[in-house]
């Protein structure tokens, strides 16, 4: 029978895998202390509880104040897998918020997390990639990643990693390339992306096409894309089932065909017909990108010749509900019917 | 019976000795009139407070009132003690005098204590005594203390908790369940909200990126277009310039040609004129005569002259010999006749003149013969006159030559 006397022992732990939280604002300092404990079990429990606790944004602010970031940094090199995996997950959750991302950059957490890319366990790697991907979505974070010379590492990882992780890496590279494309080009990213265009997973194909689009923004990229025969692959992808893939493929084609070489490669590869088909696609992004690609192609006289037959189709698109598509259609019509 | 304390005990160490004696018969009641002996504190006979017992040392031992080392009492100490005694006696006397006493008895009578209660009590000094002795049993273990079972006090009451008495489980568990479920749901809601937020942000980002890409492409395409148009324009302009340049060149060439033509139109006659003036257009017969005939003529003349020359030289030689011989002769003559010295010189001079005259005559005759032959050209006159002049000079020179060799001889 229960005593009325207040017991000196702690209440029984219901969940053995977690430490119970201390009350109110003692929770985080206590967790912080336990994270640096020498006993493995204590650390594991602490990090698991922390992971759940951090889903509340207010807690994240306080956690960063208490100094959880540096404790987690130490835990990244722990020998035990659970600790590593969970601590990267915590960092991923923290990185989902703006202050968390700032603290990432403050404590130079990018490089230790990046070291986990070579971890032997999948789940740790996945979480590490998730965290880095989250960081790269903001410009200072992407700059930090580029400065840390992670771009070549990531490109290498693309060649032989699990599919889920490939998706994450493609995302990360997409954001990094908004900041700086030179390093990615130097690391041979174009070839890797081109090879991924034929992957069986449609998300990977879509993201690879999008990354090719990003990489081709500078002139070097465009030339490289034509050299690596990416244009032919992209033209094939224009008939893909997934709308994402089609949209990104059209987008990549539209960027590459700005140069004369790109234009003629595309025209030779019979890009015009599929693009014309895509002008009436359901997804707005596909229509937009297809119209833009056709605009670029019509800069060349041969393109204009062929497209003059399809002008009415494009004219119909100027009444599209999406304003961007309307504008693109008008521009396309103007360019097609231009006489020197 | 009081113990007799030896006086020496106050000096040196404390000693106490008393003869063994039986326990004093003590009175039941204290005798108030009993006068204690002077200077004595009846510590042993009567009741003594151990607090004030001198034999027991209490308190600090290091601040103790030790007795002096010498056996002899300090004279000052003795004096002080005597004074204390005197004072005590005086105090006592004073107190006694103050105490109220009952008046003295009349003569022949004596005061006696009498009991005045109803019932008389036997008063005795003898104290009831009882002997008690105690002795532990040898070699017996102490038995264990018996279990102390408290005597039952109070009233027996029983109670029983039946279902529903304490609490209703369903009602009570509700808040606990709510908390548990609530926390779980809250946590999961937070996570879901996070993901949703992320998804929304990503969606927005994608929309933005779409527009951005479109704009970027547009911008790059326009740039490219501009560039191409500009290049095209440049090329066309260059072409145009080339054409203009060529036209200009051609015009200049034509102008130059026309000018040259007009300039040169005058040139040809003047050239011809100059050439013909300079003798480039010659009459072939004239030329032939000049080139062929005249040299031959001159050669012939030269030959002739040479022959003449040779002939004259031979003649000269002959004449010289003759003259030389004659001079020799005349010298010999003159040597024979030295008074005619100056006359000899003039004689030789006269001879010389004569000789030269002879020579000149012969030369002119030959010259005139030859001069008659070619009489066609007037140009021969000057050569002929020249020839005569030469010949005239030659004979004049030859006599001088003759003179020299003659003088040398």
């Amino acid at each position: 029978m229960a005593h009325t006397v207040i017991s000196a022992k702690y209440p029984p732990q219901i969940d053995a895998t977690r430490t119970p939280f201390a009350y109110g604002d003692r929770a985080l300092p206590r967790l912080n202390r336990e994270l640096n404990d020498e006993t493995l079990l204590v650390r594991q429990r602490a990090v698991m509880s922390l992971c759940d606790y951090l889903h509340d944004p207010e807690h994240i602010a306080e956690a960063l104040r208490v100094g959880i970031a540096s404790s987690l940094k130490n835990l990244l090199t722990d020998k035990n897998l659970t600790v590593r995996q969970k601590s990267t997950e915590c960092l991923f959750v923290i990185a989902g918020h703006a202050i968390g991302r700032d603290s990432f950059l403050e404590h130079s957490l990018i490089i230790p997390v990046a070291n986990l890319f070579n971890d032997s366990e999948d789940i740790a790697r996945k979480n590490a990639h998730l965290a880095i991907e989250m960081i790269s979505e903001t410009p200072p974070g992407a700059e930090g990643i580029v400065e840390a010379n992670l771009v070549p590492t990531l490109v290498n990882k693309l060649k032989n990693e699990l599919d889920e992780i490939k998706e994450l890496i493609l995302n990360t590279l997409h954001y990094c390339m908004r900041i700086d494309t030179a390093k990615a080009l130097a690391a041979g990213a174009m070839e890797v992306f081109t090879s991924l265009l034929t992957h069986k997973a449609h998300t990977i194909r879509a993201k690879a096409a999008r990354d090719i689009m990003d990489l081709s923004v500078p002139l070097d990229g465009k030339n490289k894309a034509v050299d690596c025969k990416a244009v032919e692959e992209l033209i094939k992808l224009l008939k893909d089932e997934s709308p994402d893939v089609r949209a990104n493929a059209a987008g990549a084609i539209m960027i590459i065909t700005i140069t004369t070489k790109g234009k003629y490669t595309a025209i030779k590869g019979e890009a015009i017909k599929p693009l014309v088909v895509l002008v009436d696609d359901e997804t707005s992004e596909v229509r937009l990108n297809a119209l833009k690609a056709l605009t670029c192609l019509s800069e060349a006289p041969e393109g204009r010749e062929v497209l003059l037959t399809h002008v009415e189709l494009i004219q119909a698109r100027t009444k599209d509900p999406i304003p961007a598509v309307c504008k693109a259609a008008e521009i396309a019509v103007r360019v097609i019917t231009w006489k020197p | 019976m009081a113990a007799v304390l030896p006086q020496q005990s106050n000096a040196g160490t404390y000693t106490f000795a008393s003869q063994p004696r039986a326990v004093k018969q003590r009175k039941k009641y204290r005798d108030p009139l009993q006068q204690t002996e002077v200077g004595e504190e009846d510590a042993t006979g009567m009741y003594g407070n151990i607090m004030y017992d001198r034999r027991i040392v209490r308190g600090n031992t290091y601040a103790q009132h030790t007795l002096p080392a010498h056996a002899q009492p300090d004279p000052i100490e003795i004096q002080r003690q005597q004074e204390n005694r005197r004072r005590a006696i005086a105090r006592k006397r004073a107190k006694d005098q103050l105490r109220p006493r009952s008046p003295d008895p009349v003569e022949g009578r004596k005061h006696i204590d009498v009991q005045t209660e109803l019932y008389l009590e036997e008063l005795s000094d003898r104290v009831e005594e009882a002997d008690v002795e105690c002795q532990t049993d040898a070699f017996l273990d102490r038995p264990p203390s018996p279990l102390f079972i408290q005597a039952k006090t109070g009233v027996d009451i029983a109670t029983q908790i039946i279902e529903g008495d304490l609490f209703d489980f369903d009602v009570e568990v509700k808040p606990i369940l709510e908390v548990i479920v609530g926390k779980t749901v809250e946590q999961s809601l937070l996570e879901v909200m996070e993901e949703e937020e992320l998804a929304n942000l990503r969606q927005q980002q994608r929309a933005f990126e779409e527009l951005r890409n479109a704009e970027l492409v547009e911008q790059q395409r326009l740039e490219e277009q501009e560039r191409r148009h500009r290049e095209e324009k440049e090329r066309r302009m260059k072409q145009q310039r080339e054409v203009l340049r060529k036209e200009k060149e051609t015009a200049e060439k034509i102008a130059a040609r026309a000018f040259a033509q007009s300039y040169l139109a005058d040139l040809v006659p003047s050239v011809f004129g100059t050439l013909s003036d300079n003798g480039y257009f010659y009459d072939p017969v004239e030329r032939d005569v000049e080139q062929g005939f005249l040299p031959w003529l001159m050669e012939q003349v030269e030959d002739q002259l040479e022959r003449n020359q040779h002939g004259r030289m031979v003649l000269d030689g002959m004449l010289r010999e003759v003259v030389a011989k004659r001079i020799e002769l005349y010298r010999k003559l003159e040597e024979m006749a030295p008074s005619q010295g100056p006359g000899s010189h003039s004689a030789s001079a006269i001879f010389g003149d004569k000789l030269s005259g002879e020579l000149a005559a012969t030369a002119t005759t030959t010259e005139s013969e030859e001069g008659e032959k070619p009489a066609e050209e007037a140009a021969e006159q000057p050569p002929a006159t020249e020839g005569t002049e030469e010949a005239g000079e030659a004979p004049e020179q030859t006599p001088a030559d003759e003179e020299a060799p003659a003088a040398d001889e």
Side-chain angles (χ1 to χ4, degrees):
Chain A
M1 213 177 104
H3 287 277
T4 48
V5 179
I6 295 177
S7 164
K9 295 202 277 267
Y10 283 119
Q13 288 197 323
I14 302 166
D15 188 357
T17 59
R18 289 184 155 68
T19 52
F21 294 124
Y23 185 76
D25 30 302
R26 292 307 309 161
L28 277 166
R30 180 185 162 178
L31 278 176
N32 197 11
R33 205 180 56 230
E34 284 187 5
L35 280 176
N36 296 322
D37 198 271
E38 281 142 12
T39 326
L40 177 63
L41 187 60
V42 172
R43 283 205 301 268
Q44 277 178 332
R45 286 184 178 163
V47 83
M48 293 211 64
S49 326
L50 183 66
C51 203
D52 288 334
Y53 199 69
L54 284 177
H55 278 283
D56 189 351
E58 290 177 19
H59 294 159
I60 291 194
E62 215 200 306
L64 290 170
R65 250 203 312 267
V66 161
I68 289 271
S70 30
S71 312
L72 285 172
K73 189 172 170 182
N74 293 338
L75 284 178
L76 282 174
T77 45
D78 199 285
K79 289 188 274 296
N80 181 281
L81 165 68
T82 322
V83 173
R84 281 202 303 267
Q85 165 208 340
K86 276 292 173 187
S87 55
T88 40
E89 205 177 313
C90 290
L91 284 171
F92 161 58
V93 174
I94 291 181
H97 297 259
I99 30 173
R101 288 194 283 268
D102 287 338
S103 82
F104 242 82
L105 294 168
E106 249 177 62
H107 294 267
S108 334
L109 277 166
I110 296 183
I111 300 202
V113 174
N115 287 340
L116 279 175
F117 284 167
N118 305 323
D119 201 283
S120 47
E121 297 292 331
D122 302 340
I123 182 76
R125 281 204 303 267
K126 175 154 178 260
N127 284 337
H129 280 286
L130 273 169
I132 294 281
E133 188 230 336
M134 202 52 93
I135 294 289
S136 65
E137 292 193 12
T138 148
E143 275 172 24
I145 293 182
V146 168
E147 268 171 43
N149 277 329
L150 278 179
V151 174
T153 332
L154 287 169
V155 171
N156 283 334
K157 287 275 169 205
L158 258 184
K159 295 181 190 144
N160 38 13
E161 262 283 10
L162 303 169
D163 287 347
E164 318 175 294
I165 302 189
K166 273 197 193 142
E167 271 185 56
L168 297 170
I169 298 181
L170 284 170
N171 273 342
T172 318
L173 284 173
H174 164 63
Y175 291 111
C176 286
M177 284 196 287
R178 297 260 294 270
I179 307 282
D180 175 81
T181 47
K183 290 207 178 150
L185 268 177
M190 188 59 81
E191 289 91 351
V192 182
F193 294 152
T194 317
S195 63
L196 282 175
L197 282 174
T198 45
H199 201 273
K200 37 189 199 306
H202 70 92
T203 42
I204 294 195
R205 288 203 296 270
K207 290 192 200 308
R210 189 187 57 181
D211 281 357
I212 292 186
M213 184 161 65
D214 288 327
L215 202 54
S216 317
V217 166
L219 187 59
D220 293 334
K222 292 199 239 285
N223 294 336
K224 199 84 193 296
V226 173
D227 289 335
C228 296
K229 315 248 177 300
V231 183
E232 288 90 4
E233 296 288 329
L234 288 167
I235 295 174
K236 274 189 238 157
L237 283 182
L238 285 173
K239 306 190 192 62
D240 200 277
E241 311 140 339
S242 152
D244 270 343
V245 178
R246 290 201 296 270
N248 286 329
I253 291 183
M254 87 187 168
I255 290 237
I256 295 177
T257 49
I258 288 182
T259 57
T260 323
K261 208 161 78 165
K263 273 198 267 278
Y264 282 103
T265 321
I267 293 180
K268 260 194 306 224
E270 304 277 337
I272 300 189
K273 286 196 207 49
L275 282 171
V276 171
V277 168
L278 284 183
V279 168
D280 284 324
D281 200 278
E282 311 116 8
T283 321
S284 68
E285 200 181 343
V286 180
R287 292 202 293 272
L288 184 61
N289 289 351
L291 282 169
K292 286 251 159 290
L294 286 174
T295 316
C296 292
L297 283 176
S298 55
E299 294 277 333
E302 290 87 353
R304 237 176 285 142
E305 264 179 66
V306 178
L307 283 170
L308 274 170
T309 50
H310 300 288
V311 175
E312 296 81 26
L313 193 66
I314 301 179
Q315 195 83 33
R317 277 283 137 235
T318 47
K319 315 283 182 300
D320 198 277
I322 314 261
V325 179
C326 286
K327 209 166 87 163
E330 282 171 35
I331 297 179
V333 170
R334 209 173 48 223
V335 174
I336 294 178
T337 49
W338 179 73
K339 296 257 176 291
Chain B
M1 265 196 287
V4 177
L5 292 173
Q7 286 291 327
Q8 289 103 307
S9 68
N10 282 341
T13 56
Y14 176 78
T15 54
F16 174 74
S18 74
Q19 287 182 349
R21 62 186 181 278
V23 179
K24 196 170 84 168
Q25 278 295 100
R26 62 188 177 99
K27 303 189 183 75
K28 199 166 189 177
Y29 302 107
R30 259 185 309 170
D31 191 357
L33 296 172
Q34 187 191 24
Q35 292 176 358
T36 51
E37 284 179 5
V38 172
E40 233 182 54
E41 286 176 40
D42 199 334
T44 53
M46 303 297 275
Y47 152 80
N49 194 350
I50 67 166
M51 293 304 288
Y52 298 101
D53 195 348
R54 267 205 179 168
R55 292 172 293 175
I56 300 174
V57 177
R58 58 189 72 79
N60 287 334
T61 52
Y62 52 84
Q64 211 183 18
H65 189 55
T66 52
L67 295 165
H70 310 287
Q72 305 296 323
D74 232 0
I76 306 169
E77 277 296 318
I78 300 170
Q79 232 181 6
R80 212 184 296 151
Q81 277 171 15
Q82 280 172 359
E83 271 189 44
N84 286 346
R85 262 179 244 139
R86 264 178 242 134
R87 247 186 254 135
I89 294 167
R91 219 183 295 139
K92 201 149 202 196
R93 285 233 178 91
K95 242 179 127 180
D96 270 345
Q97 280 177 4
L98 286 172
R99 241 175 61 197
R101 292 175 194 266
S102 55
D104 287 337
V106 177
E107 274 205 36
R109 297 189 187 236
K110 210 165 76 167
H111 283 309
I112 291 190
D113 289 327
V114 162
Q115 292 186 13
T116 55
E117 284 93 14
L118 271 178
Y119 303 100
L120 292 170
E121 271 179 42
E122 182 191 337
L123 301 174
S124 75
D125 270 349
R126 201 175 72 83
V127 179
E128 284 100 25
E129 290 173 4
D131 280 333
V132 174
E133 66 171 39
C134 166
Q135 174 70 42
T136 53
D137 286 335
F139 313 127
L140 258 188
D141 286 337
R142 182 178 172 279
S145 348
L147 192 62
F148 178 55
I149 296 172
Q150 203 171 28
K152 196 156 135 318
T153 56
V155 186
D156 269 343
I157 297 275
T159 181
Q160 170 73 29
I161 298 175
I162 46 184
E163 279 278 341
D165 254 359
L166 263 185
F167 57 82
D168 182 14
F169 180 73
D170 291 326
V171 169
E172 293 298 325
V173 90
K174 218 161 94 167
I176 300 179
L177 257 186
E178 273 177 13
V179 167
I180 294 178
V181 172
K183 280 242 170 275
T184 322
V185 169
E186 193 189 320
Q187 183 75 16
S188 44
L189 270 179
L190 277 174
E191 294 192 17
V192 168
M193 262 196 336
E194 234 182 46
E195 285 176 19
E196 250 188 50
E197 198 185 332
L198 273 176
N200 277 345
L201 283 174
R202 291 231 173 92
Q203 187 70 16
Q204 263 191 338
Q205 243 182 7
R206 275 198 57 178
F208 167 72
E209 266 190 33
E210 250 184 64
L211 285 171
R212 181 181 168 272
N213 281 340
E215 288 297 315
L216 189 69
V217 169
E218 190 59 29
Q219 176 212 359
Q220 285 197 340
R221 189 187 63 79
L222 284 172
E223 258 179 40
E224 194 54 36
Q225 205 185 39
E226 262 309 301
R227 196 184 59 88
R228 267 178 313 116
H229 284 187
R230 209 172 349 110
E231 275 182 19
E232 191 60 35
K233 262 189 261 182
E234 287 286 309
R235 253 181 281 131
R236 296 248 173 105
M237 272 173 54
K238 231 171 74 170
Q239 254 182 350
Q240 241 353 61
R241 256 183 262 132
E242 274 295 312
V243 165
L244 277 173
R245 201 174 54 84
K246 277 206 155 29
E247 267 185 30
K248 219 171 86 173
E249 239 182 82
T250 338
E252 273 181 14
K253 276 190 192 166
I254 293 174
R257 194 160 155 266
F259 174 70
Q261 258 184 356
S262 68
Y263 182 68
L264 290 174
D266 205 29
L267 185 67
V268 171
S270 70
V271 162
F272 276 126
T274 321
L275 282 177
S276 63
D277 281 345
N278 287 342
Y280 281 87
F281 301 115
Y282 53 83
D283 190 8
V285 174
E286 212 180 330
R287 192 133 263 185
D288 189 37
V289 166
E290 276 183 20
Q291 296 284 358
F293 177 63
L294 285 176
W296 172 80
L297 188 64
M298 294 306 295
E299 271 175 36
Q300 298 299 316
V301 167
E302 266 185 55
D303 281 341
Q304 195 66 32
L305 283 176
E306 259 192 65
R307 266 185 247 129
N308 282 353
Q309 188 89 354
H310 283 314
R312 274 196 215 123
M313 266 171 56
V314 164
L315 187 63
D316 281 344
M318 284 196 312
L319 286 175
R320 205 182 295 129
E321 269 191 48
V322 167
V323 168
K325 282 181 189 155
R326 290 220 182 132
I327 285 175
E328 286 279 330
L329 286 172
Y330 282 121
R331 209 180 293 132
K332 284 173 188 160
L333 278 173
E334 278 179 18
E335 279 169 10
M336 291 196 312
S339 59
Q340 294 180 11
S344 62
H345 280 292
S346 57
S348 56
I350 293 165
F351 266 107
D353 284 337
K354 271 194 179 169
L355 279 170
S356 65
E358 286 173 9
L359 280 171
T362 52
T364 44
T365 46
T366 50
E367 286 301 322
S368 58
E369 282 173 16
E370 291 176 11
E372 285 170 6
K373 289 174 195 171
E376 293 173 24
E377 283 283 340
E380 288 175 20
Q381 292 294 326
T385 49
E386 284 172 29
T388 50
E389 283 172 11
E390 283 172 13
E393 284 175 6
E396 285 173 5
Q397 282 177 4
T398 45
D401 290 339
E402 285 172 25
E403 283 287 342
D408 286 342
E409 288 176 15

